[in-house]
Amino acid sequence: MNTNRIKKIVGWKNFFFRITETELNGKVLLDLGCFTGGRITAWTKRYKLKLGLGLDINPVFKIASEEFATSHGISNIQFTTAFGENLPYADNSVDYIISTDVFEHVRNVEMVMNECYRVLKKGGKLCVVFPQYLQPFEAHLGMATNTPALHWFFSGKTISEAYINIINEREGSHWYAPENFPLHDWERLFALNGITIHKFKKILSQQKRSVVDSKIKPILTDGRRSRKLAFKLLSSLLTPLAYIPYFNEYFVGRVNYILTK
């Protein structure tokens, strides 16, 4: 396996640096929302997992993940097609669940949290990172516009209608056009459930089952934008707002929690 490639895929230090590599040795780890399997394949090898588990909702991702893992000689890994609201794993069977930029897409965050707690062993950890709804750069409208923060000023209905009109005007756009329109009841924008920092904290307070470890990651401090000088300067100006209630909904880059059962 290409070691440099694996290091690029892992991306652990930005969000889950509080967990050491040795803690993961010999453990069962689930990548909830594994896409095409790159992360969990990398983690299974690098962290010497007993078993790597990858789950996503599209059967095509399962096929691609299995091919990728096989091509790199990783056999202690399993991929499954399912939804986070109904995890196909036994109670108390997983040591770690990692979810990266997934909770904003699920239909019911509270149900997914319940399922994660069910399958985690006592002392197991749920590690989540996701952009809250009002984060200005994460509306997933890039196929039509790169303008940030449109959802600060317009309703999801208005934005989605404009988005569909733009996409439908293009030839050959069917492959990236949203599958569902109008929006489902659970959607605020296409495939976005509208989860906020306030709503997530409310779920945690209601469940009362976790030891909570959270870190604030201000806007423009991760990803490709963070490497550019202009964005670094802008981030330094906006960072104080990420620590102020209400303003944090707009200026935190990612919600970042490690929850221990």
Side-chain angles (χ1 to χ4, degrees):
M1 182 180 293
N2 186 319
T3 303
N4 290 331
R5 169 68 172 161
I6 285 298
K7 287 181 178 178
K8 289 179 182 179
I9 291 174
V10 172
W12 192 274
K13 66 179 181 179
N14 284 335
F15 301 107
F16 307 128
F17 56 88
R18 290 100 78 195
I19 298 175
T20 65
E21 295 190 15
T22 54
E23 287 182 66
L24 299 171
N25 293 171
K27 302 298 185 181
V28 178
L29 187 152
L30 166 64
D31 184 2
L32 178 58
C34 68
F35 191 44
T36 52
R39 287 189 306 266
I40 188 60
T41 299
W43 294 339
T44 301
K45 177 179 175 62
R46 179 169 179 175
Y47 302 133
K48 301 179 177 61
L49 300 179
K50 176 182 179 181
L51 178 65
L53 301 171
L55 180 143
D56 217 307
I57 64 173
N58 193 325
V60 174
F61 296 162
K62 178 178 184 292
I63 295 170
S65 297
E66 289 172 342
E67 290 180 354
F68 182 80
T70 299
S71 70
H72 290 293
I74 307 298
S75 58
N76 55 327
I77 194 167
Q78 297 174 3
F79 295 99
T80 305
T81 302
F83 287 87
E85 290 86 351
N86 186 21
L87 296 176
Y89 308 111
D91 297 359
N92 308 304
S93 59
V94 177
D95 296 294
Y96 289 87
I97 299 175
I98 310 295
S99 182
T100 304
D101 289 0
V102 172
F103 271 42
E104 75 273 27
H105 297 299
V106 301
R107 298 184 179 189
N108 189 307
V109 174
E110 187 170 4
M111 287 180 64
V112 174
M113 294 280 287
N114 287 335
E115 278 293 274
C116 288
Y117 282 120
R118 179 183 65 79
V119 304
L120 276 175
K121 299 176 182 177
K122 183 175 176 58
K125 289 180 169 60
L126 169 60
C127 308
V128 296
V129 56
F130 61 90
Q132 72 282 3
Y133 179 67
L134 291 173
Q135 211 266 43
F137 297 105
E138 296 292 341
H140 298 286
L141 301 172
M143 289 296 184
T145 177
N146 291 319
T147 305
L150 286 174
H151 53 312
W152 291 6
F153 307 101
F154 302 99
S155 70
K157 181 176 183 294
T158 298
I159 293 173
S160 61
E161 288 176 349
Y163 184 91
I164 284 292
N165 288 336
I166 291 171
I167 297 302
N168 287 343
E169 289 175 357
R170 299 173 181 168
E171 292 185 9
S173 64
H174 62 279
W175 66 272
Y176 60 83
E179 295 181 2
N180 52 292
F181 182 75
L183 299 175
H184 291 305
D185 291 341
W186 62 272
E187 291 177 300
R188 292 286 302 278
L189 278 173
F190 292 115
L192 293 178
N193 56 34
I195 188 66
T196 63
I197 296 172
H198 176 75
K199 288 179 183 178
F200 190 72
K201 287 183 175 180
K202 186 176 181 180
I203 292 172
L204 290 181
S205 66
Q206 291 173 340
Q207 293 185 332
K208 296 179 180 178
R209 294 183 297 193
S210 300
V211 177
V212 178
D213 174 9
S214 65
K215 298 293 181 184
I216 292 177
K217 192 76 173 174
I219 197 168
L220 300 174
T221 57
D222 66 87
R224 286 174 290 183
R225 292 188 186 94
S226 66
R227 302 170 197 153
K228 298 180 179 180
L229 179 60
F231 285 111
K232 287 181 179 180
L233 294 173
L234 182 59
S235 174
S236 67
L237 295 174
L238 297 177
T239 289
L241 297 175
Y243 295 86
I244 302 174
Y246 180 76
F247 289 102
N248 60 356
E249 298 285 0
Y250 300 88
F251 298 110
V252 164
R254 292 285 192 281
V255 177
N256 180 204
Y257 278 84
I258 296 177
L259 308 170
T260 304
K261 179 176 177 181

